[in-house]
Amino acid sequence: LVGEKRMLINCGILLYEFLLDPDDAMELLLNVYNKRVSKAGQEEWDSWGITHKLEDANYNPEKEGDRLLPLLEKQVREKRAENNKQKEPPKAEQSAATSDTEEKSEEPFLLTLSEAEGLNKRRNPISTGIPHLDLVLGGGLSGGDSLVFSGGPGSIKTSTVAAMVRAMTLPKTAVFCLFFDEYFPRVIRKVCANFGVAYHDTEEPTGDILKQLENEITRLDGFVRVVNTRAMEPTIEYTVEQCLASAPIGRMPIFFIDHLHRLHSGSTTQKDGQTQIVEKAVNTVLNTCNKGSIVIAISEIPKSFLNVEVLEKNPMAAPADTRVINSRFGASFVIVKKPSTEPSTVLARVINSGKNRFGDGEMGFMLKANWKTWKVSSHDEGIFTAEEKERKTEQKKDAKENELV
């Protein structure tokens, strides 16, 4: 009996790792269990190349469980491939971005230097809605650009992204929100607060509030879609494919992702480490930039960087899996929470990590958020409070004394 349970637990873990749909996982697991413990499944069980009989005195369930796992893995992979094939969108729904990809496949493989240079286009940036961020990005973000924020808990990263969603909802854009870090309806409350809905009305909105929100989107001639992570936990490949397919022709797709380390790539294997897992997901997301999309993402930071002083001294190394993320994104910023003396206010400093292909790589600025309304504004670094300046002076004094010692 212990052997049976252990084998089923192993099967369950395997199904969890390889399947996205829990209903499919349960179906296969029950299928395996029925074949394992009933004579009714004996014939098909034998066709898998595994022979056993319940009345056999030499029957070792744990040993045969080890033989079963590779075969089960194969069946799971086939099931997942079948699911992905069934979920492919109809060809008629392909967007302009998909059509562009098909056209590009007809381009010559080798280009002359002048032909390659002729592919460059002048940036036409869209404002992020945060003036100081626009300034360091050369006016905002343009098609093909990517931006990543890193920071510790409570540093208003998500609130900043929520404000950017509103600012970048325009007649020429298609906005897609991929919120995996928190329970996504909770994050959507912050987004809606930037569309003219009072934050306290977003907790359990009435029909009038929802109508007000719809009217505001209509007024802006906007297109905003939210990935429903409650319905399923899709691969990033499937998510991107569905988003691009639904983007109306003529609109630029903009992806807001919270956060990168929660993305799951369908190409991930059991042998992949954390860095490889993140790299595959990041590559899929940023490949959309080659089709003219914009990507704004949030990254985790290692536990060692939760210390503010460490974070400020080496912002370039702040994102978890730094090499993968900073080497691929066009601009990288670190957000550090700061003490605030104002009531109902969260203060944070934005530090350029040194990677910025679009504007000034050195300038930093401050963000201020009101946690009652979740509106975010930007300010010069001079907004530091007197206490902050005094604390920095004390730190420098202590550092000099340590050097003398």
Side-chain angles (χ1 to χ4, degrees):
L1 181 61
V2 172
E4 287 281 2
K5 286 185 176 179
R6 186 173 300 163
M7 187 276 294
L8 286 172
I9 290 172
N10 288 339
C11 291
I13 292 173
L14 183 71
L15 289 165
Y16 176 78
E17 290 178 350
F18 282 88
L19 274 180
L20 300 176
D21 190 334
D23 291 334
D24 290 337
M26 183 61 70
E27 179 185 346
L28 277 180
L29 187 57
L30 289 174
N31 191 26
V32 168
Y33 180 78
N34 289 335
K35 291 173 183 175
R36 198 76 172 95
V37 300
S38 70
K39 295 183 179 180
Q42 180 67 46
E43 183 177 345
E44 189 174 354
W45 186 270
D46 290 342
S47 70
W48 285 8
I50 298 178
T51 56
H52 90 275
K53 294 182 179 180
L54 295 178
E55 63 271 14
D56 189 348
N58 297 320
Y59 165 56
N60 185 331
E62 188 173 350
K63 185 175 179 181
E64 289 202 6
D66 293 337
R67 297 176 60 192
L68 167 67
L69 290 177
L71 297 171
L72 181 59
E73 179 179 336
K74 179 181 177 183
Q75 191 182 33
V76 169
R77 289 184 184 278
E78 290 174 353
K79 183 72 174 177
R80 186 171 62 183
E82 179 184 340
N83 287 350
N84 290 338
K85 188 173 181 180
Q86 290 175 352
K87 292 172 182 175
E88 287 181 2
K91 302 238 175 180
E93 296 180 8
Q94 296 299 320
S95 66
T98 310
S99 301
D100 291 343
T101 306
E102 294 172 355
E103 291 174 7
K104 287 180 181 178
S105 63
E106 299 175 1
E107 293 181 357
F109 178 65
L110 295 176
L111 303 174
T112 65
L113 184 59
S114 59
E115 287 173 338
E117 169 59 20
L119 296 177
N120 286 317
K121 304 294 182 184
R122 187 182 301 275
R123 292 182 76 232
N124 184 22
I126 299 172
S127 172
T128 63
I130 302 174
H132 287 70
L133 182 59
D134 287 344
L135 187 60
V136 298
L137 292 174
L141 293 170
S142 184
D145 292 349
S146 57
L147 165 68
V148 61
F149 292 113
S150 307
S155 56
I156 61 176
K157 304 181 301 296
T158 302
S159 300
T160 302
V161 167
M164 293 173 68
V165 170
R166 163 60 184 87
M168 303 182 84
T169 299
L170 303 168
K172 60 182 178 180
T173 64
V175 173
F176 297 100
C177 300
L178 287 65
F179 297 145
F180 292 93
D181 188 31
E182 297 183 46
Y183 178 60
F184 80 89
R186 188 179 301 121
V187 181
I188 293 302
R189 292 185 62 193
K190 297 181 181 180
V191 174
C192 293
N194 285 275
F195 280 90
V197 178
Y199 184 71
H200 60 80
D201 285 336
T202 64
E203 185 172 10
E204 188 173 351
T206 62
D208 290 341
I209 295 297
L210 296 177
K211 187 64 177 177
Q212 175 187 339
L213 183 60
E214 292 174 5
N215 290 340
E216 178 65 9
I217 298 291
T218 302
R219 185 186 69 80
L220 296 169
D221 191 15
F223 180 93
V224 182
R225 296 293 183 270
V226 181
V227 175
N228 184 1
T229 54
R230 292 196 307 179
M232 59 186 296
E233 190 170 345
T235 63
I236 186 58
E237 290 86 356
Y238 175 70
T239 301
V240 166
E241 180 184 18
Q242 292 297 299
C243 291
L244 293 178
S246 65
I249 294 175
R251 287 183 181 259
M252 178 193 302
I254 303 180
F255 292 89
F256 291 91
I257 302 171
D258 185 5
H259 58 73
L260 290 172
H261 292 78
R262 288 292 306 275
L263 300 182
H264 169 67
S265 171
S267 61
T268 300
T269 67
Q270 286 181 306
K271 295 181 180 180
D272 290 336
Q274 177 62 25
T275 299
Q276 288 73 34
I277 292 172
V278 173
E279 183 175 18
K280 290 179 178 181
V282 167
N283 288 342
T284 300
V285 169
L286 294 185
N287 281 342
T288 65
C289 292
N290 298 332
K291 303 173 184 177
S293 301
I294 295 175
V295 174
I296 298 106
I298 291 175
S299 168
E300 281 187 345
I301 62 172
K303 290 183 179 179
S304 59
F305 278 82
L306 292 177
N307 182 293
V308 173
E309 285 74 20
V310 174
L311 196 59
E312 291 182 324
K313 285 180 180 178
N314 190 11
M316 186 65 178
D321 305 296
T322 301
R323 181 186 60 79
V324 171
I325 293 173
N326 274 339
S327 64
R328 295 298 313 279
F329 277 82
S332 175
F333 294 89
V334 177
I335 304 181
V336 183
K337 186 176 181 181
K338 290 292 181 181
S340 175
T341 57
E342 298 180 36
S344 307
T345 298
V346 182
L347 197 63
R349 183 186 179 198
V350 180
I351 307 170
N352 195 312
S353 68
K355 176 69 176 294
N356 184 2
R357 295 173 179 165
F358 315 126
D360 187 345
E362 300 299 326
M363 179 180 174
F365 59 94
M366 301 295 293
L367 291 173
K368 185 163 67 170
N370 184 309
W371 58 263
K372 289 186 176 180
T373 63
W374 291 114
K375 298 292 180 65
V376 176
S377 57
S378 64
H379 306 268
D380 293 334
E381 285 197 284
I383 200 175
F384 273 120
T385 61
E387 292 89 347
E388 176 69 14
K389 290 182 179 179
E390 184 179 344
R391 188 175 66 83
K392 281 185 169 292
T393 302
E394 288 295 326
Q395 286 178 348
K396 289 180 180 179
K397 182 179 177 181
D398 292 341
K400 286 184 179 181
E401 290 178 354
N402 289 336
E403 286 180 10
L404 289 174
V405 171

